[in-house]
Amino acid sequence: MPLQIYSEIMPEKAWQQDLASAWRDSRSLCRFLELDSESPPYPLAFNTPFPFLVTQSFALRMRPADWFDPLLLQVLPREEEKTVVPGFVQDAVGDAAAEVVPGLLHKYGQRALAVVTGNCAIHCRYCFRREFPYADLPKSETRWKAAWDYLRGNPDINELILSGGDPLFLDNARLERFLHPLETTPHIQTLRIHTRLPIVLPSRIEKGLLEILSKFRKNSQVVIVIHANHANELREDASAALGRLRQAGCLLFNQAVLLKGVNDTVEALENLSRSLIREGVAPYYLHQLDRVTGTAHFEVSEAIGKNLMRQLRARLPGYALPSWVREIPGEDSKTPLAF
C-alpha cells in the first residue's frame, strides 16, 4: 500500500495524548455537558468497581443538557448496576470454558480468539467482559508462546480474532510483535480485529498502525469489526478514521448491541444501518444483550426485538440488515433469533 495515502495522518503518539485527556470522573463529564449531577432524572453511581472512562472525542458527539442522549447513556454509571438480577452472571458468554491456553479462546471450529489486553479507551456500562479476569492474561509476547503453539498445532483454524478490552490499545510495537508469528502460520488466512477505537479514539488509526495492517494484508485478509450502537457515533473524526481503514484495504463490519433507551426504536436502528453503509461499513450483527452482572437495565425483551427487526426488514435492503443474534455458551456459532 503506497505510504503517501497516509501522509496527512496525525503522528503515532497523538492517540496516547488524546487518551490521557479522557474523562475518568463522571461528575466532570456532566459539568462539560451542562448537566447537574446532583439532580439527575435517574440515580447515578460513583466510585463503582467497574470504573468510569470516556474519551473527549466520544463526549463531543453527545448532546449538551440531555440526560437521555444515546451516547451518554452507554457510559454513565447508574445505581441500577448494583441491582442483583437473576440470570445475570459474571461470564454470560462462556469465555472461561472456551479458554484452551491463557488468553486464547476456541469456541468455534475454524476460528480462535485471543484476548490480548484488558485495556480500552471507553468503559461501556453494558460490556460483556466487565467481569473478565484480565489479570490472568499473558503479560508479554513470550508468554503468548503457548497460544501460538496451539494455533500452529491446529491447522483447521484459519481465522484469528483479536479482542479484549480493545486489541488496538496495544501500541504499534507490541501489536507487531504479537502478530509476528502470523507470518509463519500460513493456515491462518484471516486476521479479524474487534475494536471500538475507530469510534471512541479515532486518532488511534494513524500511519504506523495502517502500515502494520497493510503489511499483514500481504498474507492474510484483514477484517476490522467496529462497534457502534447509534448513528451519532459515526460523525466527524470517527468518520475520517473509518475512511483511513478503508484506504488501507481493510474490510469493515459493525457489531451493535440492542440497548434500552439507546437504539431500541426502528428509527434509531434504521439510521444506524444507513449511516454505516454510507461509511463503507457493513452492518454485521445486532446482539441481544449478553446477560452480564450489572447490565439488566439495558435489556430489551426478545418480543420487542422481534417487532423491531420485522419493521427494520421492511425499511432496509437486505445488505443493510444486520443479523439479530444471541451468544449461547457452548454453541458452535452465534445463534440467530427468529423474527
Side-chain angles (χ1 to χ4, degrees):
M1 180 64 62
L3 298 185
Q4 57 263 31
I5 70 166
Y6 309 139
S7 60
E8 302 302 319
I9 298 173
M10 66 289 294
E12 179 181 340
K13 299 297 181 182
W15 70 274
Q16 294 165 328
Q17 295 166 3
D18 288 347
L19 184 63
S21 67
W23 274 283
R24 290 170 169 80
D25 173 65
S26 57
R27 290 185 178 92
S28 297
L29 177 62
C30 288
R31 285 194 294 271
F32 170 76
L33 294 172
E34 304 170 20
L35 298 168
D36 182 2
S37 59
E38 299 303 315
S39 57
Y42 42 79
L44 302 182
F46 302 100
N47 302 315
T48 56
F50 185 49
F52 176 83
L53 179 64
V54 61
T55 59
Q56 290 198 28
S57 171
F58 194 72
L60 284 168
R61 290 171 241 151
M62 297 176 186
R63 294 190 295 259
D66 184 356
W67 281 106
F68 295 95
D69 175 81
L71 278 61
L72 177 65
L73 291 175
Q74 296 179 52
V75 300
L76 199 57
R78 296 164 66 162
E79 280 292 327
E80 291 162 299
E81 293 183 20
K82 301 176 183 178
T83 303
V84 177
V85 179
F88 284 76
V89 297
Q90 290 188 330
D91 182 11
V93 298
D95 280 344
E99 189 174 49
V100 288
V101 297
L104 188 70
L105 313 182
H106 193 181
K107 294 184 180 183
Y108 312 132
Q110 295 183 309
R111 289 156 285 166
L113 183 149
V115 182
V116 298
T117 178
N119 294 320
C120 193
I122 190 169
H123 288 169
C124 302
R125 308 315 299 181
Y126 55 87
C127 178
F128 73 97
R129 288 206 178 109
R130 55 184 286 165
E131 302 285 345
F132 189 88
Y134 290 111
D136 298 336
L137 292 177
K139 298 299 188 293
S140 66
E141 287 74 22
T142 55
R143 298 285 297 275
W144 280 100
K145 182 178 182 300
W148 281 104
D149 286 346
Y150 181 88
L151 292 169
R152 291 194 185 97
N154 287 271
D156 56 318
I157 296 175
N158 57 32
E159 181 172 8
L160 175 62
I161 303 168
L162 303 191
S163 188
D166 198 301
L168 294 189
F169 203 95
L170 300 181
D171 63 33
N172 290 341
R174 288 187 63 200
L175 180 63
E176 190 162 27
R177 287 196 301 269
F178 177 83
L179 290 175
H180 179 69
L182 190 63
E183 297 177 344
T184 56
T185 315
H187 58 272
I188 296 181
Q189 300 169 5
T190 301
L191 172 65
R192 192 198 317 180
I193 299 175
H194 285 206
T195 177
R196 191 134 159 81
L197 294 200
I199 302 299
V200 302
L201 191 66
S203 55
R204 177 65 184 101
I205 313 305
E206 42 75 33
K207 179 179 177 180
L209 173 63
L210 295 171
E211 289 175 334
I212 291 171
L213 297 178
S214 293
K215 172 184 176 182
F216 284 101
R217 276 191 62 240
K218 296 175 183 177
N219 299 315
S220 304
Q221 176 63 60
V222 177
V223 175
I224 305 291
V225 180
I226 66 164
H227 177 187
N229 297 311
H230 194 277
N232 290 358
E233 299 178 40
L234 299 167
R235 300 190 310 209
E236 293 110 14
D237 50 351
S239 175
L242 295 173
R244 295 194 289 273
L245 288 168
R246 289 199 311 273
Q247 282 186 301
C250 300
L251 296 178
L252 301 181
F253 296 85
N254 182 66
Q255 291 192 116
V257 182
L258 184 58
L259 299 168
K260 186 176 182 179
V262 174
N263 58 12
D264 57 339
T265 67
V266 68
E267 291 80 12
L269 293 173
E270 179 184 4
N271 288 339
L272 174 60
S273 282
R274 293 193 183 279
S275 296
L276 288 166
I277 293 297
R278 283 195 295 271
E279 297 292 344
V281 181
Y284 178 29
Y285 281 147
L286 177 65
H287 285 267
Q288 188 67 14
L289 182 76
D290 294 317
R291 307 188 90 199
V292 176
T293 302
T295 68
H297 56 293
F298 284 109
E299 187 171 50
V300 177
S301 72
E302 287 193 26
I304 291 175
K306 182 180 294 187
N307 185 47
L308 288 170
M309 290 302 298
R310 285 173 174 167
Q311 294 180 69
L312 200 61
R313 182 169 57 187
R315 293 183 178 215
L316 292 174
Y319 61 81
L321 187 70
S323 296
W324 181 38
V325 298
R326 178 189 287 283
E327 173 105 3
I328 298 177
E331 292 296 314
D332 292 336
S333 64
K334 299 288 192 300
T335 301
L337 295 171
F339 62 94

